[in-house]
Amino acid sequence: MLKTVGCYCIVCCLWYQIHTGLQHSIIRPTQPNCLPLDNVTLPQKLKEVGYSTHMVGKWHLGFYRKECMPTQRGFDTFFGSLLGSGDYYTHFKCDSPGICGYDLYENDSAAWDHDNGIYSTQMYTQKVQQILASHNPRKPIFLYIAYQAVHSPLQAPGKYFEHYRSINNINRRRYAAMLACLDEAINNVTLALKKYGYYDNSIIIYSSDNGGQPMAGGSNWPLRGSKGTYWEGGIRAVGFVHSPLLKNKGSVCKELVHITDWFPTLITLAEGQIDEDIQLDGYDIWETISEGRRSPRVDILHNIDPIYTKAKNGSWAAGYGIWNTAIQSAIRVNHWKLLTGNPGYSDWVPPQAFSNAGPNRWHNERVSWSAGKTVWLFNITADPYERVDLSARYPDIVKELLRRLSQFNKTAVPVRYPPKDPRSNPKLNGGVWGPWFKEDEKKKKSDKNKGVNKQKNKNKKKANRKKGQSLHCHSRLAGG
């Protein structure tokens, strides 16, 4: 049985965004929204096979009601922040003028006792070390470490700036300092795994959730675009898997891998159970990573966002009557990638663009598209930088990928993006960001009575893995 596990964002990603209702933007602090409560999570499934589950770091999956909190979604313990960003030292976050609050939690309560002005990357590492020191290494553990770094605001302890004084651009210098501190943190966690007897039977997954933000110190060069876009600079993220259990060590995997693949991969490694009635979007890719085998995945739905600003010139006609190209979407099938609608900021931002004043748009490389363009096609294997649009040359391939988009869209659930709730204001909750939604007591009692006689008869399938393996995963945000 796996004994050590830790990860970021992979706790919830069983399905594509269109199958969760979270296909538009992010969950805002003031929105009555969270990861749907009927969506099973990775720690919940690991607990079924005897794992202790712990989360340290950034949640950002919603918290408007208590049932949305990490400790209600499969984690035995939680130490970290609920929001998407905040001050690294004070742990305060303002969503808008006058809507500000404290955001550091231990389990389900504000962690005022831990508010000692410690930089969050170092504070989270100390917490991880404490968890590893107190746990029995012979018993399985899932440790999910979601570092705040290197997300904005750009802050780092002074000593980490020493090696980067030659970087003129202040944002880039701060970003480098933050990353140096993060690198040190990963090293310290790895040393703790060795010190307390976990390392030899562990798997470390280091992952990122998006590309960098050039305006906030990040760089995706030579890829195109930035965080928040469907260009490769926004969606192609770095990562690695490190473990004594890997068969092919030191190799580079160029196969298709998507964040949804971690759920079945880790459950299978842990000899967990996957409900047969759950239609997963991910695949078990352990043999792809460990042995260099071909990935079972042939396509990736990057996203379909029906709410994002429509492309003015998009139309069904431009999509051959198959797809409305005003809609923002992107899909990858084998070597091909198709984008429709408004894919977002599309410049290439080379290193020389980072002047003292910040990224200089005069140095950016741009392409002036013909008026009304809403469809792009690239051979990503041959052209990962998205410089040569092939949509006019290969209309049959465009049609094929548009049909695939249409097929995916038929399975989409409605978008969950409610307006902000004034009851979310931290001033109404003791100055702390936290659950504010209160269900009507009669409704709660009614729902409880309805569920008394419910029986859960689920056919399970047992994953086929040898016992004695161990998993550990790290993850962190990319810049911006």
Side-chain angles (χ1 to χ4, degrees):
M1 185 176 283
L2 300 174
K3 289 188 179 175
T4 316
V5 188
C7 315
Y8 175 75
C9 249
I10 65 179
V11 296
C12 64
C13 293
L14 286 73
W15 301 283
Y16 290 131
Q17 302 96 309
I18 65 166
H19 296 147
T20 65
L22 301 176
Q23 58 267 56
H24 177 67
S25 191
I26 59 174
I27 298 175
R28 308 287 175 180
T30 56
Q31 285 181 312
N33 195 14
C34 72
L35 179 71
L37 297 178
D38 58 353
N39 283 190
V40 68
T41 66
L42 179 58
Q44 286 173 334
K45 299 304 293 182
L46 290 174
K47 281 176 67 70
E48 292 179 1
V49 287
Y51 275 78
S52 294
T53 58
H54 305 273
M55 178 182 171
V56 177
K58 168 178 162 178
W59 176 238
H60 203 195
L61 290 174
F63 58 88
Y64 79 104
R65 51 193 291 180
K66 292 180 179 179
E67 292 87 347
C68 300
M69 296 286 282
T71 54
Q72 303 300 311
R73 306 310 301 269
F75 288 106
D76 294 325
T77 67
F78 166 62
F79 181 74
S81 62
L82 297 176
L83 278 62
S85 64
D87 191 282
Y88 281 70
Y89 293 96
T90 66
H91 317 298
F92 270 84
K93 167 70 175 182
C94 290
D95 185 60
S96 60
I99 310 298
C100 305
Y102 184 68
D103 182 30
L104 182 65
Y105 269 74
E106 183 162 34
N107 297 322
D108 297 326
S109 303
W112 296 106
D113 293 341
H114 294 274
D115 186 15
N116 300 315
I118 302 174
Y119 186 65
S120 73
T121 302
Q122 297 169 325
M123 179 177 63
Y124 290 157
T125 302
Q126 291 173 9
K127 187 65 175 180
V128 170
Q129 291 167 329
Q130 292 170 10
I131 292 172
L132 293 175
S134 60
H135 186 80
N136 182 348
R138 290 184 294 277
K139 294 184 178 181
I141 180 173
F142 172 72
L143 182 54
Y144 171 46
I145 313 168
Y147 281 109
Q148 183 180 354
V150 287
H151 199 285
S152 60
L154 303 180
Q155 298 172 295
K159 71 174 185 177
Y160 295 100
F161 286 85
E162 294 176 3
H163 298 295
Y164 305 105
R165 291 175 180 172
S166 61
I167 299 178
N168 291 325
N169 177 264
I170 185 60
N171 282 348
R172 190 68 176 155
R173 193 187 319 146
R174 288 171 177 162
Y175 190 95
M178 295 169 73
L179 191 56
C181 184
L182 179 64
D183 287 345
E184 181 181 274
I186 298 302
N187 180 60
N188 288 337
V189 170
T190 306
L191 291 175
L193 289 171
K194 294 179 178 180
K195 178 180 179 180
Y196 298 114
Y198 299 90
Y199 178 79
D200 290 339
N201 201 29
S202 68
I203 297 174
I204 301 171
I205 299 174
Y206 182 94
S207 177
S208 181
D209 63 345
N210 51 249
Q213 175 54 270
M215 299 303 293
S219 175
N220 303 310
W221 178 262
L223 299 179
R224 184 178 188 176
S226 63
K227 173 184 176 178
T229 76
Y230 293 172
W231 302 108
E232 290 297 285
I235 61 175
R236 185 182 289 227
V238 298
F240 64 79
V241 177
H242 176 78
S243 172
L245 306 175
L246 288 170
K247 292 185 178 180
N248 292 347
K249 299 179 177 63
S251 60
V252 176
C253 177
K254 295 185 178 181
E255 294 292 309
L256 277 183
V257 174
H258 188 258
I259 192 170
T260 55
D261 298 331
W262 290 124
F263 182 89
T265 300
L266 299 184
I267 295 299
T268 302
L269 281 168
E271 294 191 332
Q273 298 171 334
I274 298 177
D275 299 342
E276 289 185 344
D277 58 350
I278 294 181
Q279 299 297 317
L280 298 179
D281 289 323
Y283 299 84
D284 178 1
I285 54 167
W286 180 248
E287 290 181 347
T288 301
I289 293 172
S290 179
E291 302 175 26
R293 297 192 182 186
R294 296 299 301 271
S295 172
R297 175 178 290 281
V298 296
D299 58 17
I300 294 175
L301 176 66
H302 293 307
N303 198 25
I304 299 172
D305 186 343
I307 292 182
Y308 190 80
T309 305
K310 302 293 191 297
K312 293 181 180 179
N313 297 295
S315 66
W316 285 95
Y320 300 98
I322 302 169
W323 183 256
N324 182 358
T325 64
I327 296 174
Q328 185 192 53
S329 67
I331 188 171
R332 168 83 180 267
V333 178
N334 294 317
H335 301 299
W336 298 102
K337 177 182 176 183
L338 181 84
L339 303 95
T340 72
N342 178 3
Y345 178 79
S346 61
D347 288 7
W348 293 272
V349 185
Q352 60 267 32
F354 291 93
S355 64
N356 289 333
N360 189 330
R361 295 183 71 89
W362 289 106
H363 290 292
N364 295 359
E365 293 186 57
R366 296 182 180 179
V367 173
S368 297
W369 300 112
S370 57
K373 186 164 186 59
T374 55
V375 178
W376 295 262
L377 177 71
F378 300 97
N379 183 326
I380 289 298
T381 304
D383 178 27
Y385 315 129
E386 297 170 299
R387 292 183 176 275
V388 183
D389 174 32
L390 300 171
S391 59
R393 190 182 304 178
Y394 298 107
D396 288 343
I397 293 177
V398 170
K399 293 175 185 177
E400 180 184 340
L401 268 63
L402 289 174
R403 291 190 191 95
R404 191 76 184 99
L405 270 177
S406 179
Q407 291 170 356
F408 271 121
N409 198 46
K410 291 176 182 178
T411 68
V413 301
V415 177
R416 300 165 57 98
Y417 198 74
K420 63 181 180 181
D421 187 335
R423 294 175 294 175
S424 64
N425 193 329
K427 290 181 180 179
L428 305 177
N429 190 33
V432 178
W433 288 104
W436 71 85
F437 184 81
K438 302 289 191 301
E439 274 192 299
D440 180 77
E441 288 301 317
K442 291 183 179 179
K443 183 177 185 301
K444 287 175 69 176
K445 290 180 180 178
S446 174
D447 290 346
K448 185 176 181 180
N449 291 334
K450 286 179 182 178
V452 168
N453 296 318
K454 272 192 175 181
Q455 299 295 324
K456 295 183 179 179
N457 297 315
K458 296 182 178 180
N459 295 321
K460 310 281 187 176
K461 60 180 180 180
K462 191 78 174 178
N464 297 317
R465 288 287 171 189
K466 293 181 179 179
K467 291 188 177 181
Q469 296 176 331
S470 162
L471 243 163
H472 184 91
C473 321
H474 289 288
S475 307
R476 60 135 180 127
L477 283 175

